């Protein structure tokens, strides 16, 4: 069911897979989870998801929650990711899939701002690459647990959405540190 929220914090997912359109904010979402003390692997081949979870389970105290950014740069992406998700389900991990998307106009603007080609653009136009990626990701999108359209979001709003979805009470409370010092004793 798309947009299924993480309602029970004690039963938070063991593994989160962040995927979606290039330029939609996958890196920002990954950094948000890192800030929430998740172990995050970027550009992980889908076939490595089970291995990563196994290593995290062995180091339970040090790595309680893991996330992986999986994207179209892996050429057999959609079939590999679907089979990796099925394999994770078989071992009882039940990954939570976050799909990030944005409108074509937003993605074009973002790619033009960074002056980088789209990964699937090849010899075509930027919009051709975006449409090709959208077609390849259609199956994964329909199976995602959370779909976030970042077209109207800035970096801070996306980070807030990730914190709301995957943070716990400790992560969302305001923390204040007070340091008292005097320059005659040196810098704190």
């Amino acid at each position: 069911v798309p947009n299924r929220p993480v309602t029970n914090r004690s039963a938070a997912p063991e593994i989160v897979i962040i995927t979606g359109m290039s330029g939609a904010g996958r890196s920002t979402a990954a950094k948000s989870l890192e800030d929430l003390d998740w172990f995050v692997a970027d550009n992980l081949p889908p076939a490595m998801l089970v291995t990563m979870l196994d290593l995290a389970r062995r180091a339970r105290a040090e790595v309680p929650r893991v996330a992986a950014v999986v994207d179209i740069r892996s050429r057999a992406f959609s079939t590999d990711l679907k089979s990796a998700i099925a394999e994770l389900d078989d071992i009882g991990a039940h990954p939570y899939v976050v799909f990030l998307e944005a409108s074509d106009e937003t993605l074009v603007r973002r790619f033009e701002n960074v002056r980088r080609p789209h990964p699937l653009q090849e010899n075509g136009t930027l919009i051709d690459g975006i449409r090709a990626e959208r077609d390849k990701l259609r199956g994964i999108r329909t199976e995602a647990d959370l779909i976030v359209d970042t077209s109207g979001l800035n970096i801070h709003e996306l980070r807030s959405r990730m914190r709301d979805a995957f943070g716990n009470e400790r992560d969302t409370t305001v923390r204040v540190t007070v340091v008292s010092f005097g320059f005659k004793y040196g810098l704190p």
Side-chain angles (χ1 to χ4, degrees):
V1 177
N3 292 320
R4 183 188 74 195
V6 180
T7 55
N8 184 354
R9 297 286 182 222
S10 64
E14 219 179 342
I15 183 168
V16 170
I17 299 171
I18 301 169
T19 190
M21 298 295 295
S22 298
R26 291 186 315 255
S27 295
T28 300
K31 289 175 188 169
S32 299
L33 290 180
E34 283 178 347
D35 291 345
L36 297 172
D37 292 330
W38 286 68
F39 175 80
V40 180
D42 193 4
N43 195 21
L44 190 71
M48 297 295 296
L49 288 170
V50 174
T51 304
M52 184 180 86
L53 183 61
D54 182 50
L55 292 171
R57 283 179 171 173
R58 290 182 196 175
R60 172 52 66 193
E62 293 84 25
V63 185
R65 305 179 293 181
V66 295
V69 178
V70 181
D71 60 42
I72 202 73
R73 289 176 282 186
S74 172
R75 291 298 173 206
F77 171 79
S78 59
T79 55
D80 286 354
L81 184 56
K82 284 183 182 181
S83 63
I85 290 171
E87 195 174 342
L88 286 166
D89 278 334
D90 289 344
I91 62 171
H94 309 297
Y96 192 89
V97 180
V98 176
F99 188 91
L100 300 175
E101 65 181 0
S103 68
D104 289 352
E105 298 79 26
T106 301
L107 294 174
V108 166
R109 188 181 71 248
R110 289 176 183 171
F111 273 100
E112 286 175 346
N113 284 342
V114 295
R115 296 185 180 146
R116 294 185 67 194
H118 187 279
L120 298 181
Q121 184 174 343
E122 297 175 1
N123 293 329
T125 65
L126 179 57
I127 198 73
D128 292 338
I130 291 170
R131 288 183 181 143
E133 183 178 29
R134 201 174 295 280
D135 286 342
K136 287 186 180 217
L137 297 177
R138 187 167 282 121
I140 297 299
R141 185 189 184 282
T142 59
E143 296 177 16
D145 297 300
L146 177 64
I147 299 170
V148 179
D149 185 344
T150 65
S151 298
L153 301 179
N154 63 35
I155 290 173
H156 307 292
E157 292 166 332
L158 178 55
R159 283 180 176 261
S160 177
R161 290 242 179 124
M162 295 302 290
R163 186 177 50 250
D164 291 346
F166 299 104
N168 54 35
E169 276 186 34
R170 183 180 58 89
D171 298 326
T172 57
T173 58
V174 176
R175 290 179 265 175
V176 177
T177 303
V178 177
V179 178
S180 177
F181 69 95
F183 281 113
K184 73 179 187 178
Y185 302 112
L187 291 174

